Amino acid sequence: MMQSLKYWLAEHPSIVNFRWSHTQSFGSTWSFLFAAIAVYIVAVITLHSFLSLILSKSRRIPLGPIPAIHSLCVSLISAVIFVGILYSAAAEIRDTRWFWRRTKTISTPFQWFLCFPLGTRPSGRVFFWSYVFYLSRFLHLFRTFFTILRHRKLTFFHLFNQSILLWMSFLWLEFSQSFQVLAILLATLLYSVVYGYRFWTAIGLPSACFPFVVNCQVVLLACNLISHFGVIFLHFLKGGCNGMGAWGFNSVLNGVILILFLNFYVKMHLRKKNVEDIDGNSNSSSSSSSSASSSTHGCSRSDIKFE
C-alpha cells in the first residue's frame, strides 16, 4: 500500500519528468496571471456592488451544501499535496545529495528545505506539487464569492491576501524560489485542518469556542517568520540560495499581509473584550444566554472575515 502510494505521489513519470514551461503548463504565463487576478478582483467588486444595491445587508442568499463541498474538496486536495510534496522532497533529497557537495551551500536536508542550490531549475517532483499548489489557489478564490453571497462582506485585506497568495505561488515556480517546499508543507497542512474544520461546522457539527481559523494562521505566520531568518542566514553565510530576488519580493508582500493580519487580530480581540464587558454588566440569567450567543457569533465572524 505504502509503495503504491509513493509511486503515484512521487515516482510516477508525469511527476518525475515535470517541467514548468510557458508553452506546456496551463496558467504559466505572466499575461494569464495578471488577467486572472484582474478578472477575480473585478468580478468580486461587481458582485458585491450589485448585491448591495438590490438586497439589504441582512438578506442572505442560501447556497445549500456548496460551501461545505468546497471546504471538503480544498481540505482533501491540500492533504494530497502535503503528502505528495513530502514524499517528493524525500526522493529529491535522496537523488541530489551528491550535488550538494559541489555547491557547498547546503549540507543537510533541513537546509535544502530552506535553500535551493544556485542553478536549480523548476523541474522534477517538488515543482510538480508546487504547480498543483499554484492551481489549487484558484479553488480558494471561490470562498470570496461564498462570503459575499452569504454575508455581504468584502474587505481590502481579503482581496489583497487572496491575490497575493496566488501571485507568490506563481513566483515560486517562475524563479525556482528557495523555501517554497517548506512553505507549501506548512500551508497545505494548515489548509487541510482549517477547511476540514469549516466542513465540520458547515454540516452542523459544533464549532470551537475560540477563533480556530485565526489562531491557526497565527501559528503559520510565526513558522514562516522564523523560517525566513533561516533563509537569510544560509544565503549570506553559505554562498547563496536560488531565486532570492523573488524571495525578497515575496517577503515584502508577506510583511504587508502580516501587518494587515495583526491589525485584524487586534481589532478582533478588542471587539471580544467589549462584548465581555457588556455581558458583565448584564444580569446573570440574560448574561449567560447573551454570552453563549455572542461567543458563537464571534467565532463565526472571525472565520468569515479571515481567509
Side-chain angles (χ1 to χ4, degrees), residues 110-289:
F110 181 72
Q111 291 179 358
W112 179 84
F113 276 104
L114 293 174
C115 177
F116 284 154
L118 293 174
T120 300
R121 301 300 179 200
S123 61
R125 301 177 181 89
V126 295
F127 287 100
F128 170 84
W129 289 109
S130 182
Y131 177 58
V132 175
F133 179 80
Y134 163 64
L135 294 179
S136 73
R137 287 304 316 171
F138 290 95
L139 186 60
H140 287 248
L141 302 182
F142 285 99
R143 184 167 174 80
T144 308
F145 297 95
F146 299 155
T147 301
I148 294 174
L149 292 170
R150 292 193 300 177
H151 306 285
R152 211 82 74 252
K153 291 182 180 295
L154 179 63
T155 62
F156 170 77
F157 171 71
H158 188 94
L159 271 180
F160 182 82
N161 184 56
Q162 291 282 24
S163 302
I164 291 308
L165 290 176
L166 182 60
W167 179 285
M168 287 192 296
S169 59
F170 177 88
L171 293 181
W172 288 347
L173 287 158
E174 185 68 13
F175 297 100
S176 306
Q177 183 191 311
S178 296
F179 175 61
Q180 64 176 283
V181 175
L182 185 57
I184 293 172
L185 284 170
L186 293 173
T188 51
L189 179 61
L190 172 80
Y191 293 151
S192 61
V193 172
V194 165
Y195 279 92
Y197 167 77
R198 283 174 172 159
F199 172 74
W200 174 276
T201 56
I203 61 176
L205 295 173
S207 61
C209 59
F210 61 93
F212 179 82
V213 175
V214 178
N215 287 348
C216 285
Q217 184 66 11
V218 170
V219 175
L220 177 63
L221 289 173
C223 292
N224 282 339
L225 185 62
I226 295 172
S227 299
H228 277 295
F229 286 107
V231 175
I232 294 174
F233 174 82
L234 291 174
H235 178 66
F236 286 105
L237 298 183
K238 292 287 189 174
C241 300
N242 201 70
M244 288 303 291
W247 175 87
F249 182 72
N250 279 340
S251 297
V252 173
L253 297 178
N254 274 316
V256 175
I257 291 176
L258 178 61
I259 293 172
L260 292 173
F261 173 78
L262 291 176
N263 179 58
F264 161 76
Y265 195 70
V266 170
K267 286 183 177 179
M268 184 191 70
H269 278 277
L270 290 176
R271 183 167 59 248
K272 182 180 178 183
K273 184 178 180 182
N274 290 336
V275 171
E276 290 174 351
D277 291 342
I278 293 173
D279 289 342
N281 294 330
S282 305
N283 56 56
S284 58
S285 59
S286 61
S287 174
S288 3
S289 71

Side-chain angles (χ1 to χ4, degrees), residues 30-145:
W30 288 94
S31 58
F32 178 90
L33 177 68
F34 288 132
I37 293 176
V39 169
Y40 164 70
I41 293 174
V42 171
V44 165
I45 295 176
T46 302
L47 178 63
H48 181 263
S49 302
F50 177 73
L51 292 179
S52 299
L53 288 174
I54 65 173
L55 297 175
S56 62
K57 288 187 177 180
S58 59
R59 178 91 177 269
R60 297 186 177 186
I61 299 177
L63 297 176
I66 296 176
I69 294 173
H70 174 267
S71 295
L72 179 61
C73 289
V74 174
S75 179
L76 293 177
I77 291 172
S78 298
V80 171
I81 295 174
F82 175 83
V83 176
I85 199 169
L86 190 63
Y87 278 143
S88 296
E92 288 293 332
I93 290 171
R94 178 198 66 208
D95 295 344
T96 59
R97 275 181 177 273
W98 63 271
F99 183 67
W100 298 355
R101 302 186 186 93
R102 296 184 180 182
T103 63
K104 299 181 180 180
T105 304
I106 54 177
S107 56
T108 65
F110 181 72
Q111 291 179 358
W112 179 84
F113 276 104
L114 293 174
C115 177
F116 284 154
L118 293 174
T120 300
R121 301 300 179 200
S123 61
R125 301 177 181 89
V126 295
F127 287 100
F128 170 84
W129 289 109
S130 182
Y131 177 58
V132 175
F133 179 80
Y134 163 64
L135 294 179
S136 73
R137 287 304 316 171
F138 290 95
L139 186 60
H140 287 248
L141 302 182
F142 285 99
R143 184 167 174 80
T144 308
F145 297 95

